[in-house]
Amino acid sequence: MRWSDFPKWGRYVADWAAEYHAGLRARPVRAQTKPGEIAAQLGAEAPEEGHPVEEVIADFERIVLPGITHWQHPRFFAYFPSNAAPASVLAEFFTTVMAPQCMLWQTSPAATEMETRVMDWLRHALGLPAPFHGVIQASASEATLAAVLTMREKALDWQGNAQGLSGQPRLRVYASEEVHTSIDRAIWIAGIGAENLVRIPTQGPLRGMDPAALDAAIKADLAAGHLPAGVIACTGGTGTGACDDISAVCDVAAAHGLYTHVDAAWAGSAMLCEEFRGLWEGVEKADSVVLNPHKWMGTQFDLSAHFVRAPEDLTRTLAIQPEYLKTHGADGIINYSEWSVPLGRRFRALKLWFLFRTYGLEGLRGRLRNHVQWSEELCERLRAAPGFEIVTEPVLSLFTFRYAPEGASDPDALNQRLVEAINDDGRIYLTQTRAEGQLVIRFQAGQFDCTREDVMMAHDVITEIATTLQES
Ligand SMILES: *Cc1c(COP(=O)(O)O)cnc(C)c1O
C-alpha cells in the first residue's frame, strides 16, 4: 500500500466509523467470544508476501470485530468510561498521519506550545490556581509514578537517583485502602516496597481516610526512625468512588513537610462543573494532581493530565540533563520529556484542543451533568425495585447496588451470577466490586453519546434478568 492509495482507504475508514457508531446499540456491549477463539483465526506465522488491503480489512471485520468490547457503546456502564469523541478522533487522525515525536521543544514546537496552552486552559477550567503547571502524561499510572519518585527524591534530599535506597531509612507513603492499584505499582517500581505503603483507615459516607489516623501513623513512623515521604489521596476511588478529605489530608501532610499527590483519574473531569468541586475541596494545597481526560472528558485513550505545583521538583527528579533546570522557563522553552518517565512523546495536546474548540466547555459540562443526573435517577429506581438495595450512594455518576431478595441464601454468589447473566445478555455492560465486605454491582454512566433512555434501559435489563435468576 502506498500513500497514493490512502485517500480511498482513508475514506473507507471514515464511512466505516460513522456506520460503526450509528449501529453500536445493536451490538452486544461486551465481546461474546471464548478465550482463544480470535487467536485461532489469525494464523501461526506472519505472511511472507503482502496481501491486498481489501483482504486485510475484510479479515479485520470478520475476525477482529467480534472480539471487541465496545467501549464507545452508549450502554457501557462497566469500569469507568474511555471516551473517544469524534472531534478528538479527527485530531488523532491528523496526529497519526504526521506522527511527530515530541520529546523536545524543537522536535515540534507546536506540540509543546499547544500542550502548555491547553493544559493551562484545562487548569483554569477545573478551578486549579495558577501555581499549578500541567503536563500531559500517557496514563494516570505514569503520573502517579512520577509523583512517587518526586516524593522519594525530596525525602532523600535528592540522593535517591544517585545512591539508590540501600542504607537509607525506610521511606513511608500513606494512602487509604480505596486508592487504585496503580499506587501499589508506583510504590514497587520506586523501590519503596509494598510494606512501606501505610494504609490509613477510612471513615464517613465518602470512605475518606481519617486525618487523625494519618497524623498518628506519621508520628509513629517518625518515632520508629522511618522516613515519611508523602501522602497519596484520592478523589473518586475506582471501586466505589471514595473521596478523601483533601483539605484535611493536605493539612496533616503539610504539618510534617510531606509531598501530596491526589489521584482523581476518573472524577477529575467532573470538576469542569463548579458544583462538583466540593468533592476535592482543598486540592489547591496539594503538590500534584492527576486526572484522565481520556476517561470521562472525551479525548480518546491516551491523555492523562498531570498538574504539579513545583515543576522544578518533577524535573529535578526525572530530567536526565540537570542543566535544563537552569534554563527552565528562562528562555521560553520547555522540554516535556523532562517531566515524565518515558523519553518519547506523542502529540496528545491536539486532541484536547480539538475537543475544547468543537464542544466548548459548556458542551462538555452538559454531558457530565446529564450523566450524573441520570445515574442518580437510575439509583432511585433501583432502590425502589423489589429485592434491590443500594450499597454505596452515588458519587457523581457511580453507585453500587446488589440484589438480595428475602431468603436469598448466598447473596454474593447470586450477584455474581446476575452480573454475568447481564453481560452475556449484551444490552448493557456492568462490573462488580467489593464494598462493605459484600460482592456488589457497580454502575457508572459516562459514555459521550449516552442518553437518558440508555441509562433507564439499565433498570429494565437488570430487573428483568434478576427475575429470571430468582426462578432458576
Ligand atoms: C483508571 C484509574 C487509574 C489508572 O489510570 P490509567 O490512566 O489507566 O493508568 C488510576 N486511578 C484511578 C482512581 C482510576 O480510576
Side-chain angles (χ1 to χ4, degrees):
M1 183 176 169
R2 298 165 201 281
W3 279 107
S4 55
D5 301 323
F6 199 83
K8 177 180 169 190
W9 295 112
R11 278 186 207 109
Y12 181 89
V13 176
D15 290 340
W16 186 92
E19 270 171 43
Y20 171 76
H21 274 269
L24 267 175
R25 284 187 178 84
R27 295 182 189 268
V29 192
R30 193 208 58 196
Q32 304 287 325
T33 52
K34 302 267 169 309
E37 213 174 298
I38 308 294
Q41 300 176 76
L42 294 176
E45 304 281 348
E48 290 291 341
E49 307 288 334
H51 289 230
V53 183
E54 286 88 335
E55 201 183 299
V56 179
I57 290 181
D59 282 352
F60 159 75
E61 293 184 9
R62 183 175 59 84
I63 302 172
V64 179
L65 209 51
I68 295 294
T69 291
H70 300 289
W71 285 73
Q72 306 315 317
H73 196 301
R75 293 193 295 270
F76 183 101
F77 303 129
Y79 307 99
F80 281 135
S82 188
N83 277 306
S88 79
V89 174
L90 209 54
E92 196 78 319
F93 200 177
F94 282 121
T95 297
T96 203
V97 169
M98 300 179 292
Q101 207 277 48
C102 309
M103 58 187 173
L104 304 174
W105 177 85
Q106 65 171 319
T107 66
S108 274
T112 295
E113 294 184 17
M114 182 178 280
E115 179 160 338
T116 305
R117 181 64 71 191
V118 294
M119 289 301 282
D120 207 52
W121 286 1
L122 178 60
R123 175 193 66 69
H124 192 244
L126 295 166
L128 288 172
F132 282 98
H133 293 263
V135 56
I136 298 175
Q137 309 274 13
S139 65
S141 304
E142 278 181 24
T144 295
L145 175 59
V148 168
L149 292 169
T150 305
M151 60 179 72
R152 184 193 78 181
E153 287 306 292
K154 276 195 85 147
L156 293 174
D157 200 17
W158 312 102
Q159 295 308 307
N161 281 342
Q163 298 172 2
L165 300 187
S166 67
Q168 299 288 0
R170 273 174 175 261
L171 286 159
R172 305 287 268 179
V173 176
Y174 309 84
S176 85
E177 284 289 352
E178 299 288 335
V179 295
H180 188 263
T181 50
S182 57
I183 280 83
D184 300 68
R185 290 206 284 181
I187 295 291
W188 303 348
I189 297 165
I192 291 170
E195 289 173 8
N196 296 309
L197 176 57
V198 183
R199 299 294 185 167
I200 306 300
T202 58
Q203 60 178 16
L206 285 173
R207 301 168 293 288
M209 70 172 110
D210 173 1
L214 172 64
D215 189 54
I218 296 168
K219 284 179 176 147
D221 281 345
L222 286 168
H226 300 333
L227 184 55
V231 183
I232 298 174
C234 71
T235 300
T238 311
T240 64
C243 291
D244 290 317
D245 179 342
I246 303 297
S247 184
V249 165
C250 286
D251 286 346
V252 171
H256 296 283
L258 305 192
Y259 195 87
T260 45
H261 173 64
V262 176
D263 179 5
W266 160 69
S269 293
M271 304 310 168
L272 290 181
C273 307
E274 216 174 328
E275 69 269 29
F276 300 136
R277 291 185 195 155
L279 287 177
W280 74 0
E281 201 182 323
V283 70
E284 68 282 353
K285 301 184 216 170
D287 294 294
S288 166
V289 182
V290 66
L291 63 131
N292 281 347
H294 72 224
K295 278 186 168 155
W296 201 359
M297 204 177 290
T299 65
Q300 72 271 51
F301 193 81
D302 45 8
L303 196 160
S304 186
H306 186 196
F307 291 96
V308 288
R309 173 192 297 285
E312 57 278 12
D313 287 345
L314 188 60
T315 53
R316 191 165 180 188
T317 302
L318 296 177
I320 210 77
Q321 293 167 298
E323 59 261 39
Y324 278 115
L325 279 180
K326 295 169 201 145
T327 63
H328 165 70
D331 52 8
I333 289 174
I334 300 174
N335 293 311
Y336 279 119
S337 55
E338 312 281 337
W339 297 43
S340 52
V341 174
L343 174 67
R345 325 184 79 237
R346 302 179 64 246
F347 182 10
R348 297 190 180 89
L350 191 69
K351 53 190 172 183
L352 196 53
W353 189 66
F354 265 61
L355 188 85
F356 285 155
R357 296 224 27 213
T358 50
Y359 303 103
L361 292 172
E362 266 307 304
L364 301 174
R365 288 188 196 108
R367 285 178 170 82
L368 294 157
R369 288 182 175 127
N370 281 340
H371 298 154
V372 171
Q373 191 187 326
W374 298 333
S375 179
E376 284 170 353
E377 188 179 343
L378 175 70
C379 177
E380 291 319 310
R381 290 190 66 191
L382 281 177
R383 200 194 303 277
F388 282 86
E389 61 193 42
I390 302 305
V391 180
T392 60
E393 295 295 326
V395 174
L396 300 168
S397 60
L398 170 66
F399 67 90
T400 65
F401 65 93
R402 67 194 230 137
Y403 181 54
E406 223 169 294
S409 58
D410 186 352
D412 278 9
L414 181 65
N415 282 274
Q416 187 64 52
R417 269 170 59 217
L418 176 57
V419 82
E420 282 164 17
I422 288 169
N423 296 337
D424 288 344
D425 171 86
R427 282 174 289 172
I428 65 172
Y429 183 23
L430 298 171
T431 40
Q432 75 281 352
T433 188
R434 293 200 78 82
E436 297 175 8
Q438 306 170 323
L439 188 128
V440 299
I441 304 180
R442 281 172 93 255
F443 178 90
Q444 68 74 29
Q447 203 281 327
F448 210 69
D449 297 321
C450 149
T451 64
R452 181 175 171 276
E453 287 65 45
D454 289 315
V455 175
M456 293 312 133
M457 190 191 230
H459 168 269
D460 301 346
V461 173
I462 294 164
T463 53
E464 173 198 314
I465 294 179
T467 318
T468 64
L469 282 188
Q470 201 177 18
E471 285 161 2
S472 66

